[in-house]
Amino acid sequence: VSPDVLFDAASMASLLGAPVTLGHPPAGVSPETWRQHSIGTVIDVRADQESGVLRVKVMISDAAAIDAVTSRKIEELSCGYSAGYEPQPGVTTGGQRFDGVQTSRTYN
């Protein structure tokens, strides 16, 4: 995703307070299932433009999830988002082909 989409102020603001899941639930998360999958909340969002990533602090409130993270049984947490896409085939600087680009992102 391009830095202008990743570091968009409105997108970053939508991340604050977003629920966090362990990994990516295969069936996705909906308003009906968020309680089943949510293990915490995003409490701080920082743009690290030098490294090209968003850094977030999360409060994990589920005991099993705390154990999974601290024991490194799982290293990936997720916040769901909706995104706008535009078909635009190309190749990354690393040589990987793609079919489109993300034009917006709103965390939910």
Side-chain angles (χ1 to χ4, degrees):
V1 83
S2 69
D4 59 322
V5 172
L6 183 63
F7 300 123
D8 175 75
S11 175
M12 289 176 49
S14 72
L15 184 54
L16 189 60
V20 177
T21 64
L22 286 176
H24 302 279
V29 179
S30 68
E32 293 77 27
T33 64
W34 79 269
R35 189 179 304 259
Q36 172 187 350
H37 297 294
S38 178
I39 54 94
T41 306
V42 175
I43 60 172
D44 189 33
V45 181
R46 306 270 168 130
D48 187 345
Q49 293 189 17
E50 186 174 310
S51 65
V53 298
L54 288 179
R55 300 206 182 273
V56 299
K57 287 184 182 180
V58 297
M59 178 182 69
I60 300 175
S61 50
D62 177 83
I66 292 169
D67 179 59
V69 171
T70 57
S71 66
R72 297 202 179 259
K73 292 176 188 167
I74 189 164
E75 295 183 3
E76 187 172 317
L77 302 176
S78 178
C79 295
Y81 64 86
S82 299
Y85 292 95
E86 183 177 300
Q88 185 179 6
V91 180
T92 67
T93 55
Q96 187 174 30
R97 300 178 86 64
F98 58 87
D99 296 320
V101 295
Q102 203 173 100
T103 57
S104 64
R105 181 183 285 187
T106 303
Y107 293 88
N108 54 8

